[in-house]
Amino acid sequence: MERLTPQEETIMRCIWKLGTCQIRDILDALPEAQPYTTIASVANNLKRKGYLQVSRRKNSYEYVPLIPESDYKQEFVNSVVGHFFHNSYKEMVSFFAREQKISAAELQDILRLINDGDDES
């Protein structure tokens, strides 16, 4: 799975949220206004990378995500853990604890999830 640029990730997050959509829907969902042609160009790149299916509907195009957001997140996180933490999630969590990016309460929540199973999903 090819890594997305920050701009592509922003557009894909909108598409994942919207599901089947058109460029106009994406523009409306973005936090900041962007030119129609820019979004259309990014959507073309996403199609080329295999993230989107594009089909013609009357006089516009319809975009459908081909890769689920959860699959992309898993691939990205696994890559980060592999490259920076020697494939150790323990090392990753320890890093965030040392850097004070995760609180004791959040760690307790994580432990509760591990002990209880992932009932919240």
Side-chain angles (χ1 to χ4, degrees):
M1 183 180 309
E2 191 172 344
R3 180 77 211 281
L4 300 178
T5 67
Q7 186 180 36
E8 290 169 339
E9 282 185 358
T10 298
I11 302 304
M12 274 309 298
R13 276 196 296 278
C14 289
I15 295 170
W16 281 318
K17 184 178 178 182
L18 294 166
T20 301
C21 60
Q22 297 178 348
I23 297 294
R24 189 66 46 210
D25 301 319
I26 299 167
L27 286 167
D28 292 342
L30 288 170
E32 297 177 18
Q34 293 189 35
Y36 184 99
T37 54
T38 299
I39 304 308
S41 177
V42 171
N44 257 349
N45 289 341
L46 291 166
K47 177 188 175 204
R48 182 184 50 76
K49 289 182 176 184
Y51 283 85
L52 293 179
Q53 176 180 329
V54 182
S55 55
R56 187 134 175 99
R57 295 284 184 245
K58 297 184 182 181
N59 58 351
S60 65
Y61 291 96
E62 193 170 78
Y63 300 88
V64 179
L66 290 175
I67 295 174
E69 183 177 14
S70 59
D71 288 2
Y72 182 74
K73 284 180 183 178
Q74 183 176 10
E75 180 80 18
F76 176 69
V77 170
N78 287 341
S79 173
V80 169
V81 172
H83 284 87
F84 296 104
F85 301 104
H86 312 290
N87 288 318
S88 169
Y89 283 87
K90 177 183 173 185
E91 195 172 313
M92 180 184 74
V93 172
S94 297
F95 169 80
F96 288 118
R98 281 191 308 274
E99 295 294 315
Q100 297 179 348
K101 302 291 185 190
I102 191 169
S103 69
E106 290 169 324
L107 285 171
Q108 287 298 322
D109 288 343
I110 292 168
L111 287 173
R112 199 170 8 268
L113 286 171
I114 291 168
N115 290 329
D116 297 343
D118 192 2
D119 295 335
E120 293 182 23
S121 292

